[in-house]
Amino acid sequence: MIRTEQAPSSPLYSQGVRVGSTIYVSGTTGIDTATKQMSGTTIQEQTRQALRNCKAILEAGGATLDDVAQVTVLLTNPADFAGMNEEYAKVFPTEPPARAVTKLGVELPNVLVSIMMTAHVEN
């Protein structure tokens, strides 16, 4: 189990899990751990923070964003696709990982995006 104070946590799931050389990052939202509040009201603000949170979990597990092989992005509103892509492209500007984008199937107050990642690291 991977645990860091630099990303949101819950007693209901692990922030991440490492199995051998694979790291699985749970669905992570745009909560700012410093304020314990959503990082903003726009898809860009929340995507930026969700990606920061994923990065912190990866680093706690011994990986970096360069090790990410697959990303799943869950959007509350599919119309936010372009705004999410603005921030996503800043983190993965070249040779991006495999990715799927779909609609978030549950309604969570003020949540616009949730991001999951799978990374592979050399032992």
Side-chain angles (χ1 to χ4, degrees):
M1 184 165 65
I2 298 169
R3 192 178 295 261
T4 178
E5 297 297 319
Q6 303 304 310
S9 63
S10 169
L12 301 175
Y13 60 85
S14 297
Q15 292 169 312
V17 174
R18 183 169 178 161
V19 179
S21 58
T22 303
I23 294 175
Y24 302 92
V25 176
S26 292
T28 302
T29 63
I31 293 175
D32 183 333
T33 56
T35 66
K36 307 289 189 229
Q37 300 294 316
M38 200 56 63
S39 60
T41 59
T42 69
I43 189 63
Q44 291 89 347
E45 291 168 314
Q46 289 192 26
T47 299
R48 190 177 316 120
Q49 185 64 49
L51 289 165
R52 279 189 206 122
N53 293 340
C54 287
K55 181 181 179 210
I57 296 165
L58 288 168
E59 290 174 351
T64 70
L65 288 167
D66 290 336
D67 298 314
V68 175
Q70 196 274 335
V71 176
T72 301
V73 179
L74 305 167
L75 295 173
T76 299
N77 183 352
D80 285 335
F81 183 77
M84 176 275 299
N85 269 338
E86 288 176 32
E87 295 302 319
Y88 186 89
K90 293 175 186 175
V91 173
F92 298 109
T94 60
E95 299 184 34
R99 183 179 85 172
V101 180
T102 189
K103 185 169 178 6
L104 184 62
V106 297
E107 291 196 27
L108 301 171
N110 304 315
V111 173
L112 301 178
V113 64
S114 179
I115 300 175
M116 300 182 298
M117 294 184 176
T118 304
H120 177 80
V121 292
E122 298 298 323
N123 288 331

